[in-house]
Amino acid sequence: MSILVNVHGGTAYVETDFGTSPLGATAHLPLNKLVWGDDSISNRVNETTPLPVQIMAVTGESLVVSGSLGASGSFGIENTITGSTLHYLAVAGSTDGATPVGVTGTVSVANGLTTGSTVSIRALSSATDSVTVTGGVSILGSLDLNSGTDSVSVFGWDGNRYVNTTLYGGDGTTIGNSGDALNVNLVNAGVTFSVNIGATVGVVNGDSGLVVQGLSGGEPITVKGRNGEAVEVVNSPGSAVGVTGDFFVDGTQVTKISEITRPSTIISGYTLAAVTATVLPSNSLKTGITVKASSVNTDLIYVGNSGLTGGVTANGYPLQGGESVFIECNNSNLVYVVGTTGDTRGVHYIGS
């Protein structure tokens, strides 16, 4: 409802609205707008010029609030300015103001720094801080590095870990290489090397046999084998090894037989010795033959060569009945036997 009233120089309307309990809807209350300021300025209360409010105690002094003071919604905090002096707002990580406040994200200065301004930056800690660098970093001047904390990585032109390097001599000549080996040339004489050589040095044949030659009038060459110093003589592909010349020189040489080819057949027989030298049948032998006098013989059998004789003046090897003798030879026809008149004179033989 509007009420018309007289004002200085004319009339104006005063707006009202229905009231509430306890008077009821029949009463009207005037609608008022607050204005604040001094004797020269009047500020209407709105979002731009809000009404200043100071909470005071009943005695008129400032109200002291104990405990936590809560706030609903968001509100700004501004620094105070006394004249031209800006009072900084202290922000700390603890109530005592001693612990620094950690800043995460990007920190920028919006309006720049004026001449004489100071920006204090604390040292970074690996336990709490991290720095991300995007793009390239250029270093002007010298950089002092500490081997205990700093490291430098060097990459090749293609970004890999290998750095392509060209070496130059003192005269500017490029030093070459062959594959993965550096070319090294020894110039002039008189170069001395210290070389460690093992106790055993092997010598390998080339395309032809290894030639070992002594010095005329000097010390002879001693050749020893691997097994008991015996020299192993082997032919390929397994045929007999021919040895010519003097093999045993002074009787100190040693021959080691590592293998003997065993005979593939044996021969055996029985014959009666005559009272004159009788030759055994011819049979090729590899190792030799065993001659045995028959156990039924009552007298001696003599064994020997073609000039064999018996009796008291016999020059053969006597065998009583049941005795035997082994003879190394390559044929049984080299063995002769002779007996005594009136005896059985039986002779057994076996060989290989």
Side-chain angles (χ1 to χ4, degrees):
M1 177 179 289
S2 300
I3 300 175
L4 182 62
V5 296
N6 293 322
V7 295
H8 179 73
T11 59
Y13 288 97
V14 177
E15 300 295 330
T16 65
D17 197 358
F18 290 104
T20 58
S21 176
L23 299 180
T26 58
H28 285 263
L29 299 176
L31 299 177
N32 299 319
K33 180 176 287 292
L34 298 180
V35 177
W36 64 276
D38 54 16
D39 55 358
S40 61
I41 298 176
S42 298
N43 298 313
R44 292 187 177 184
V45 177
N46 53 32
E47 293 181 355
T48 304
T49 56
L51 178 66
V53 176
Q54 184 176 10
I55 302 175
M56 306 294 292
V58 178
T59 59
E61 298 177 354
S62 298
L63 182 64
V64 178
V65 179
S66 300
S68 300
L69 180 63
S72 177
S74 60
F75 54 91
I77 299 177
E78 297 181 356
N79 296 346
T80 59
I81 301 176
T82 303
S84 59
T85 302
L86 174 64
H87 298 279
Y88 293 101
L89 181 64
V91 179
S94 61
T95 56
D96 58 5
T99 304
V101 176
V103 178
T104 302
T106 303
V107 178
S108 61
V109 180
N111 298 324
L113 299 175
T114 60
T115 303
S117 300
T118 302
V119 177
S120 298
I121 302 176
R122 68 174 176 83
L124 299 179
S125 172
S126 60
T128 57
D129 304 320
S130 63
V131 177
T132 301
V133 178
T134 302
V137 177
S138 300
I139 299 177
L140 300 178
S142 61
L143 179 63
D144 296 329
L145 300 178
N146 188 329
S147 60
T149 57
D150 304 324
S151 62
V152 177
S153 298
V154 180
F155 297 90
W157 60 272
D158 56 354
N160 293 327
R161 59 178 177 149
Y162 300 106
V163 178
N164 296 331
T165 305
T166 302
L167 300 179
Y168 298 93
D171 57 354
T173 304
T174 303
I175 299 177
N177 66 290
S178 298
D180 58 353
L182 183 66
N183 293 340
V184 178
N185 298 323
L186 300 178
V187 182
N188 298 327
V191 180
T192 303
F193 293 95
S194 296
V195 180
N196 296 326
I197 300 178
T200 302
V201 179
V203 179
V204 181
N205 294 346
D207 296 335
S208 59
L210 181 64
V211 178
V212 180
Q213 182 177 353
L215 178 63
S216 177
E219 293 292 331
I221 296 176
T222 302
V223 180
K224 297 181 180 180
R226 295 174 297 177
N227 299 322
E229 299 185 356
V231 177
E232 298 178 358
V233 181
V234 180
N235 193 19
S236 178
S239 58
V241 177
V243 179
T244 60
D246 295 334
F247 187 72
F248 296 99
V249 179
D250 56 7
T252 62
Q253 290 74 24
V254 177
T255 301
K256 179 181 179 181
I257 300 176
S258 59
E259 182 179 356
I260 297 177
T261 302
R262 304 299 180 184
S264 59
T265 60
I266 63 174
I267 60 98
S268 64
Y270 175 82
T271 187
L272 294 176
V275 294
T276 58
T278 304
V279 66
L280 295 182
S282 177
N283 294 283
S284 296
L285 302 173
K286 296 292 187 181
T287 59
I289 187 171
T290 299
V291 178
K292 181 177 181 180
S294 176
S295 59
V296 299
N297 293 343
T298 59
D299 208 338
L300 296 175
I301 293 293
Y302 296 90
V303 181
N305 56 17
S306 59
L308 176 65
T309 61
V312 179
T313 60
N315 57 3
Y317 185 82
L319 296 176
Q320 291 184 354
E323 291 183 337
S324 64
V325 62
F326 177 77
I327 302 172
E328 292 185 358
C329 58
N330 61 4
N331 199 295
S332 59
N333 63 7
L334 298 176
V335 181
Y336 289 77
V337 294
V338 66
T340 305
T341 302
D343 193 10
T344 305
R345 301 189 298 276
V347 177
H348 301 273
Y349 59 89
I350 185 169
S352 60

